[in-house]
Amino acid sequence: MDPGAGSGSDPGAGSGSDPGAGSGSDPGAGSGSGAGIGIAFRTCIRYLLLMSYNHLEVDEKWQKRWADAKAFQAKLDPNRPKYYALDMFPYPSGSGLHVGHIASYTPADILSRFKRAQGFNVLHPMGYDAFGLPAEQYAIQTGVHPAVTTQQAIENFRRQLMAFGFSFDWNREISTADPKYYHWTQSIFSILFAKGLAYQKEVPVNWCPALRTVLANEEVVDGKSERGGHPVVRQPMKQWMLKITDYAERLLQDLDKVDWPERTKEGQRNWIGKSEGAQVRFQILTPKAEFEIFTTRPDTLFGVTFMVLAPEHPLVAQITTPAQKTAVAEYVKLTSRKLEVDRKAAQDKTGVFTGAYALHPFTGQPLPIWIADYVLMDYGTGAIMAVPGHDERDYAFAQKFAIPVQRVIEGGELPHLGEGALVNSDFLNGLSQPAALARAIEEVTQKGLGHRLVTYKLRDWLFSRQRYWGEPFPVIRLPDGTLQSVPANELPVVLPEVADYQPSEKGEAPLARAQDWVQHPLGQRETDTMPGSAGSSWYFLRYTDPHNSEAAFDFAAQRYWMPVDIYVGGAEHTVGHLLYARFWQKVLFDAGLVSHDEPFQRLFHQGLVLGPDGEKMSKSRGNTISADEIRDKYGADAGRMYICFMGPTDKDKPWSMSGIEGVRRFLERVWRMIVNDDGQLVATDLPPSDGVQRLLHKTIKKVTEDMNDLSFNTSISQLMILVNELYKQNEKPRTTLLTLAQLMMPIAPHFAEEIWERLGGRGFVSLAPWPSFDPKLVIDETVEMGVQVNGKMRGTIRIAPTATEAVALAEAQKVSSVLTAIGGKSVAKVIYKAGKILNLIVKD
């Protein structure tokens, strides 16, 4: 698939008619001492050819014209169908954009340009996810305010995005760090707070001493901070939480409403983790106490041989016997230093016996109570019943600590995880697993031992950060300790200036040192800031009405533009941003502020553009390819087209410099077909030949279908086929070339505008109506069809695709290899599909 590989796969390769193609007539070709001269000659020729299409002039010319005409500015128009194409907006880093970033924004831009041409009113905005840790860390190191470095990065990003011709509506540009924007982030938080969906709680958090901040689970990799690689520990801290769990069932069920990749839907389903089963109460023998467990398999209750509590469970200290106190205390301390992700992933099971026993709810038998780090306090009740005969994790624990194992399901070696009839289970004996499950829940409920329950693995969203560079909470702590929202007329609560951006070693946020700011007439302000995910959970709504100073957005504006028709971004956001945004949208829907309860109708995950070494591009690996370098050397359109031509849009693919050179040669080839060496137009007003006309309409059909499917690589291949055919023709019909410009426009917009103008096209080709194809012209007059005899291919015939069976048989009888295979025998049956296959079944 390397477009620079030469031969038929090289989009710049031609034939004798290609003035840039090498052949035996190349005066510089040869070997020996002449080889060096040949190389120099070809290099010179290539340089001269490249100079014929000055991409820098062309790119800048059309970017200025688009900007002056406000060509891509979206306006609400109820009389036109809308199309909202959105990219996951970037964090503006000081490193600028590399080609991997350009690749992530190219698909939505191509679709936007295509849909405009089809007559849609397109909203294609861009903004910046500007709050976050990197700018704050840079501020700590240099003393430069994060607002300064962030704005510098934004200006650089904007320049680079404009340089690649992305058709964003720059009039709608936003930054989450702009007080005019986070005014409304704070307002939405106030809605969450008023609805009881925002609250404070002391919870175990991932604390990074080096960064002096709390980190989300996804910001921790192998026990270290994703940024900087610093050690992370678990410790309890009072944090703001959002009750996303209240929306668990709707978040789960409404996945059926959206057109998303199945792997992403399944990722969210697994993260939400709906489970149906029973909550069962266990009495402790001594001291008198009880605890509850949730199980999805109450049918295995007779297989329980021990119980396990999370080391953090509040009953641990109460029930531990004197003989076990030291061992339990040491284990609890050891566990407190482990990260949750490490506890869940640990292969080696560890634990300590508390010395206490629980009573089996049916048999009354004592069950030893252990503590183990594989049980987490934040999952379920923080306690489990262990059934080692039918659970791998429990079995490993039982084997290590010599705990009895009891079989209660027939079949297979232990641990047996499959289904089977119940055994050793009293009133459940002989029942199938589904029947036993229903009977066990019924028995538990009737005897007052518990009840049927639906639970979710999803936990509430930890929403605090002990950082400076984030949205302040619009909350006041009153003298009596209660919390109150800041009055709406005092929003936004603007981030104050501070002398030191570093949190304290104990985790106190930098805002706590801004004493004048902290003091409010009603009490004291909250000093934590919101996470970066706050501003990104609703930004797509602000784009619908970005300059509104009276509300986050106008209801009519969002009703027209929403939901987002296609959202393009990475799959790594499956259980973070994509889940949070759905949650906020549903809260706003319930509040009557939005008209749709799902924000993104279609979701597309673009593949990564890897470095030339096949690894993910990163500054640390030194394998990034500068977007500026590619644009300067090859042009924005060559960069865009190569990104599309590398392979399927949703697959990862490595960058190749020879590949982009091949695409550049293809653009040069098209240019030379339209403009001669003197800069004169070579197109004619003669009508195209029948063959060219048919190929053109097939190309329109193919490119149109591929655009909707985001199959840009195959649409480019089809364009190359058309160009190759045009090169064979003596005449270059203007009408055909104008259509070629239209078909190239979504992928190579600057180039398309230039040839459109030179060919006499009116207005911007970017806004010209998309060409339509004639269905009659995309059907081949004849097709080559295989002829089988008894299922084996024996020859081919060329007939009309709609030819009758009689015509096909007549043609087949003219093929000697078919007649030989029949061998004079009678044809017992004919299997015929017009234009597809002819199979003759003959008797032996």
Side-chain angles (χ1 to χ4, degrees), residues 475-484 518-526:
V475 176
I476 302 164
R477 186 173 298 277
L478 304 180
D480 63 1
T482 58
L483 299 172
Q484 176 182 308
V518 170
Q519 301 304 319
H520 185 277
L522 297 177
Q524 291 193 322
R525 298 186 188 276
E526 286 293 291

Side-chain angles (χ1 to χ4, degrees), residues 104-236:
S104 67
Y105 305 129
T106 299
D109 189 65
I110 291 173
L111 268 180
S112 296
R113 289 177 168 278
F114 170 63
K115 291 296 182 180
R116 276 193 206 93
Q118 284 194 312
F120 286 86
N121 188 17
V122 174
L123 173 58
H124 185 38
M126 177 49 66
Y128 310 96
D129 194 7
F131 275 132
L133 189 58
E136 181 173 291
Q137 288 297 298
Y138 188 77
I140 291 170
Q141 296 164 13
T142 65
V144 179
H145 198 287
V148 174
T149 56
T150 299
Q151 187 56 37
Q152 290 172 345
I154 285 174
E155 290 170 3
N156 187 43
F157 270 41
R158 186 191 304 116
R159 174 191 64 79
Q160 291 182 294
L161 292 169
M162 285 181 169
F164 275 84
F166 292 121
S167 60
F168 297 125
D169 180 354
W170 290 105
N171 185 54
R172 294 174 185 260
E173 184 183 41
I174 61 171
S175 164
T176 59
D178 183 344
K180 293 178 182 177
Y181 178 86
Y182 69 73
H183 174 155
W184 304 110
T185 304
Q186 292 172 338
S187 178
I188 294 172
F189 177 84
S190 297
I191 294 171
L192 289 158
F193 183 67
K195 287 180 169 289
L197 295 170
Y199 65 98
Q200 283 188 315
K201 178 184 178 182
E202 187 167 280
V203 294
V205 296
N206 301 320
W207 173 253
C208 179
L211 298 177
R212 299 186 186 179
T213 190
V214 168
L215 298 176
N217 285 337
E218 59 267 26
E219 296 175 306
V220 180
V221 180
D222 296 329
K224 296 181 179 179
S225 62
E226 184 180 36
R227 179 164 296 275
H230 304 294
V232 177
V233 297
R234 290 285 279 179
Q235 67 181 50

Side-chain angles (χ1 to χ4, degrees), residues 299 419-420 422 431-439:
D299 55 305
E419 294 189 5
L422 272 289
L431 296 177
S432 67
Q433 191 268 324
L437 186 65
R439 177 69 193 282

Side-chain angles (χ1 to χ4, degrees), residues 278-281 292 441 443-452:
Q279 189 123 317
V280 184
R281 187 166 52 256
E292 291 184 322
I441 294 176
E443 195 75 14
V444 164
T445 304
Q446 287 181 352
K447 292 189 174 181
L449 301 172
H451 56 277
R452 183 187 301 274

Side-chain angles (χ1 to χ4, degrees), residues 271-330:
W271 190 259
I272 295 167
K274 182 178 181 178
S275 298
E276 299 185 42
Q279 189 123 317
V280 184
R281 187 166 52 256
F282 283 76
Q283 301 292 331
I284 297 174
L285 186 59
T286 182
K288 291 296 182 182
E290 63 181 28
F291 61 91
E292 291 184 322
I293 61 94
F294 170 78
T295 176
T296 59
R297 297 296 305 273
D299 55 305
T300 63
L301 265 163
F302 287 97
V304 178
T305 59
F306 65 103
M307 310 297 295
V308 186
L309 301 182
E312 305 90 348
H313 198 289
L315 279 178
V316 171
Q318 180 183 340
I319 67 173
T320 301
T321 61
Q324 292 298 108
K325 279 195 179 295
T326 300
V328 167
E330 289 179 355

